């Protein structure tokens, strides 16, 4: 049982084996004393074991588990290999100095597991186990047990109530029907229980200026996530038993505190209270009081710090980070960057035809008349779909734009922002019509306001800096930076859009040192298009989107402009 094992060392979780259905399992006849060399297979029968038989099966399983004979304990279940692996993972990761398992009776009513028990009086609680996987209806006898897990170096013991389901096997004996929640009622497939460092939750979450954050979009649930994920100096950590997903997603669920962490100071985020207040007002106006879904994100290009994010409605999902919809013509910032990198110049003649047909799919513009005399910069500023598609198909190879999105703008790999995030996707196109659609931000491309704010931030600063919400957090780097000439031309084209293009109306008065791009996206045949806008002004980049908001300059543009006017000062 690894008595005397040290605690408080960070443990890397490995995957636990999932639960399969009841059926024929290789359970050896050695359980009944047979000396046959070849194991006989026993199966779960469609008959419940008697109370005495179930009690005996539970007692034998708990005794074997408690004394560390995990092979024997696993053999007393209907899934020996899986059970043994799960029990061994629990032992290796929790490292108890002693384990006491006491059989009980019929399980008590569901309840949440207790938090830390005191040294003198342990607190136990029952928790509902999820139904045993694939157990034949009416054939499982539920029994409870009490677990006491002790740790070296402390008198604190972790107490909890567990649940077993006993089934009858074809050899006449009872076996534990195996599921991960046999180990602990909260344990599920794809999760592990381990001892890890734990930190005290900060008393308050503050903005970058040390002021409290009390805004509609920053819901208590979101702020609690920051508190739960806060990590400080390792010297301040305590130790605790936690359940975490094996793939690293989500927030670890602390089951028990072994040693107390030191009290934590308030957590300061990168957010700016003044910009956050303006973002809230901007999104409320753009969403028509919350009747439309909308989001906005503001980023500091020089650092990647997220200065504000707001959502409408405020009671829904964090759309600013979890949105995953086509960005429309705001994606032309990246398409234009790819064309510039390929040698196209802003003053090159690039006609804007009224329509195109690519592999049987028709593409058109927001305006009906052709502009055969336009230059590339005009195509960009006026958001000509047909010009961008035609030139992109002529100059770029399939997948070039999407590769640049990843390599220079950091789009694709998962960002660790400090908040749950739906990663942006810009996959390589599967056909010519999808290739054409993705050049103008449709097809299989999905983004959110955070990603598109980062795109403008990258153009403004010249370097991709992964957005973060906690100062000093690790930031993923892009594989390359855009060429100096590309950046100069792209900034000039975005400024042209802000001064005399589709963004001129909303950017009026704030065009110095600024650039913008509007976007209109068709999504799922909805009646009204989604409105997108991405822009920068000085050391501030903003993106906004409004579902069914229409043209980019109609709804998202005014919202972004409100925040840009306030500035990052």
């Amino acid at each position: 049982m690894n008595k005397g094992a040290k605690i408080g060392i960070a443990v890397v979780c490995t995957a636990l084996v999932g639960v399969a259905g009841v059926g024929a399992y290789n359970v050896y006849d050695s359980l009944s004393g047979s000396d046959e060399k070849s194991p006989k297979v026993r199966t779960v029968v469609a008959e419940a074991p008697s109370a005495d038989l179930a009690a005996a099966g539970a007692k034998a399983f708990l005794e074997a588990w408690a004394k560390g004979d995990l092979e024997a304990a696993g053999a007393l279940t209907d899934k020996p290999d899986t059970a043994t692996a799960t029990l061994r993972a629990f032992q290796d990761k929790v490292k108890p100095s002693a384990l006491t398992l006491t059989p009980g009776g019929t399980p008590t009513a569901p309840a949440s597991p207790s938090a830390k028990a005191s040294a003198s009086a342990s607190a136990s609680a029952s928790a509902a186990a999820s139904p045993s996987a694939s157990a034949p209806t009416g054939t499982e006898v539920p029994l409870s047990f009490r677990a006491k897990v002790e740790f070296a170096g402390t008198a604190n013991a972790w107490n909890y109530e567990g649940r077993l389901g006993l089934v009858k096997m074809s050899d006449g004996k009872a076996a534990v029907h195996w599921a991960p929640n046999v180990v602990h009622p909260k344990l599920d497939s794809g999760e592990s229980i381990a001892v890890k460092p734990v930190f005290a939750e900060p008393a308050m979450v503050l903005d970058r200026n040390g002021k409290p954050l009390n805004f509609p979009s920053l819901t208590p649930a979101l702020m609690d996530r920051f508190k739960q994920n806060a990590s400080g100096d390792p010297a301040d950590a305590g130790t605790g038993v936690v359940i975490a997903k094996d793939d690293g997603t989500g927030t670890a669920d602390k089951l028990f505190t072994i040693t107390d962490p030191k009290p934590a100071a308030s957590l300061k985020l990168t957010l700016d209270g003044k910009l956050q207040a303006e973002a809230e007002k901007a999104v409320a106006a753009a969403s028509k009081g919350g009747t439309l879904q909308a989001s906005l994100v503001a980023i500091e290009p020089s650092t990647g710090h997220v200065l504000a994010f707001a959502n409408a409605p405020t009671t829904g999902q964090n759309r600013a980070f979890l949105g995953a919809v086509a960005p429309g013509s705001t994606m032309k910032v990246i398409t234009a960057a790819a064309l510039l990198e390929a040698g196209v110049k802003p003053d090159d003649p690039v006609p804007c035809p009224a329509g195109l047909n690519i592999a049987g799919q028709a593409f058109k513009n927001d305006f009906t008349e052709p502009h055969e005399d336009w230059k590339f910069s005009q195509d960009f500023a006026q958001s000509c779909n047909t010009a961008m598609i035609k030139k992109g198909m002529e100059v770029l190879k399939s997948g070039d734009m999407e590769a640049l999105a990843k390599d220079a703008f950091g789009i694709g790999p998962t960002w660790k922002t400090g908040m749950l995030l739906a990663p942006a996707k810009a996959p390589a196109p599967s056909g010519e019509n999808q290739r054409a659609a993705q050049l103008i931000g449709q097809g299989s491309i999905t983004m959110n306001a955070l990603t598109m704010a980062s795109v403008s931030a990258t153009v403004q600063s010249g370097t991709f800096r992964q957005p973060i919400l906690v100062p000093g957090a690790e930031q993923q780097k892009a594989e390359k930076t855009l060429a100096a000439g590309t950046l100069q031309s792209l900034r000039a084209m975005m400024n042209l859009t802000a001064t005399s293009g589709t963004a001129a109306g909303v950017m009026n008065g704030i065009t110095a040192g600024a650039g913008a791009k509007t976007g209109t996206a068709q999504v799922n045949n909805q009646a009204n298009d989604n409105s997108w806008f991405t822009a920068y002004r000085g050391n501030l980049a903003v993106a906004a989107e409004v579902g069914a908001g229409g043209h980019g300059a109609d709804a998202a543009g005014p919202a972004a402009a409100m925040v840009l006017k306030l500035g990052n000062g």
Side-chain angles (χ1 to χ4, degrees):
M1 290 300 296
N2 297 313
K3 292 186 178 181
K6 293 182 180 180
I7 58 176
I9 300 174
V11 181
V12 178
C13 292
T14 56
L16 299 182
V17 182
V19 182
V22 172
Y25 303 119
N26 290 325
V27 181
Y28 293 94
D29 243 6
S30 57
L31 293 173
S32 59
S34 172
D35 291 329
E36 294 181 22
K37 293 182 180 180
S38 299
K40 290 184 178 180
V41 175
R42 62 176 188 165
T43 60
V44 177
V45 299
E47 176 188 352
S50 67
D52 289 342
L53 195 62
K59 182 174 182 292
F61 169 76
L62 294 172
E63 286 179 349
W65 179 13
K67 71 181 182 181
D69 192 349
L70 306 183
E71 293 284 347
L76 292 164
T77 73
D78 61 1
K79 192 68 174 175
D81 293 343
T82 302
T84 300
T86 307
L87 294 171
R88 193 171 305 284
F90 178 83
Q91 176 177 290
D92 292 346
K93 293 169 174 54
V94 176
K95 293 181 169 60
S97 61
L99 177 64
T100 304
L101 302 169
T102 306
T106 302
T108 60
S112 298
S114 67
K116 177 190 172 223
S118 65
S120 58
S122 61
S124 64
S126 62
S130 58
S132 298
S134 304
T137 303
T139 65
E140 184 178 328
V141 175
L143 293 173
S144 67
F145 68 91
R146 294 183 300 279
K148 180 180 180 181
V149 186
E150 299 176 68
F151 304 91
T154 179
N156 292 334
W158 175 31
N159 294 269
Y160 64 90
E161 183 175 301
R163 178 189 184 280
L164 304 175
L166 279 297
V167 293
K168 188 174 182 180
M169 306 301 288
S170 55
D171 62 356
K173 293 182 176 293
V176 172
H177 177 55
W178 187 256
N181 55 31
V182 167
V183 174
H184 186 277
K186 281 194 170 184
L187 185 64
D188 204 350
S189 298
E191 297 177 338
S192 295
I193 298 179
V195 170
K196 288 190 174 184
V198 294
F199 296 86
E201 290 188 1
M204 296 182 67
V205 180
L206 307 175
D207 80 348
R208 64 176 178 174
N209 299 311
K211 296 182 179 180
L213 288 163
N214 184 20
F215 297 97
S217 294
L218 306 181
T219 63
L222 292 180
M223 293 301 97
D224 285 347
R225 183 179 296 276
F226 281 118
K227 291 181 180 181
Q228 293 165 4
N229 289 340
S231 60
D233 188 331
D236 296 336
T239 54
V241 182
V242 303
I243 288 181
K245 291 187 179 297
D246 297 323
D247 61 9
T249 60
T251 301
D253 183 7
K254 185 174 69 175
L255 301 175
F256 179 73
T257 300
I258 302 169
T259 59
D260 290 316
K262 292 181 181 179
S266 294
L267 175 63
K268 186 178 287 189
L269 300 181
T270 61
L271 298 174
D272 181 277
K274 291 182 179 179
L275 285 169
Q276 182 66 35
E278 197 69 8
E280 299 279 0
K281 289 191 291 185
V283 166
S287 67
K288 299 180 180 180
T291 58
L292 299 178
Q293 292 185 319
S295 64
L296 181 149
V297 175
I299 293 175
E300 186 172 64
S302 62
T303 61
H305 289 182
V306 177
L307 301 181
F309 69 94
N311 297 290
T314 57
T315 55
Q317 71 166 184
N318 179 15
R319 185 178 173 96
F321 282 61
L322 294 174
V325 291
S329 291
T330 55
M331 193 69 184
K332 290 174 186 173
V333 175
I334 299 178
T335 300
L339 287 168
L340 291 167
E341 290 272 286
V344 179
K345 305 298 182 186
D347 290 336
D348 284 354
V350 179
C352 175
L356 279 179
N357 188 293
I358 305 294
Q361 182 172 347
F363 293 90
K364 59 182 181 179
N365 303 309
D366 282 344
F367 43 87
T368 57
E369 67 278 7
H371 293 275
E372 299 296 332
D373 58 342
W374 275 2
K375 299 176 182 178
F376 180 47
S377 58
Q378 291 173 291
D379 295 319
F380 181 87
Q382 301 300 330
S383 203
C384 178
N385 293 331
T386 56
M388 299 297 283
I389 292 172
K390 187 174 182 181
K391 197 65 174 178
M393 301 286 277
E394 290 174 357
V395 174
L396 303 175
K397 295 178 181 178
S398 180
D400 280 357
M401 181 275 287
E402 293 79 4
L404 187 70
K406 174 182 177 294
D407 295 342
F409 291 89
I411 292 172
T414 301
W415 300 348
K416 295 183 178 180
T417 62
M419 185 69 72
L420 192 63
L421 174 69
K425 296 181 180 179
S430 59
E432 290 299 282
N433 57 347
Q434 185 180 359
R435 178 185 171 194
Q438 295 192 174
L439 290 169
I440 57 171
Q442 299 283 165
S444 297
I445 291 178
T446 59
M447 302 283 167
N448 47 48
L450 177 73
T451 309
M452 294 316 300
S454 177
V455 168
S456 281
T458 300
V459 176
Q460 192 276 344
S461 70
T463 301
F464 166 72
R465 293 180 175 89
Q466 184 214 290
I468 53 173
L469 282 155
V470 180
E474 182 181 355
Q475 291 172 282
Q476 185 170 314
K477 298 183 183 301
E479 295 183 14
K480 61 177 285 186
T481 57
L482 296 173
T486 297
L487 285 167
Q488 182 179 0
S489 297
L490 192 54
R491 290 168 186 154
M493 291 165 63
M494 290 185 71
N495 183 256
L496 183 66
T497 306
T499 56
S500 61
T502 56
V506 295
M507 293 294 287
N508 185 35
I510 53 171
T511 58
K517 185 69 192 78
T518 58
T520 306
Q522 293 80 41
V523 179
N524 297 330
N525 297 316
Q526 64 187 31
N528 295 318
D529 296 336
N530 288 353
S531 175
W532 280 86
F533 196 90
T534 185
Y536 63 84
R537 178 180 177 239
N539 195 22
L540 180 63
V542 179
E545 58 84 27
V546 181
H551 191 275
D554 294 340
M562 284 180 63
V563 178
L564 289 168
K565 286 176 182 176
L566 185 61
N568 180 21

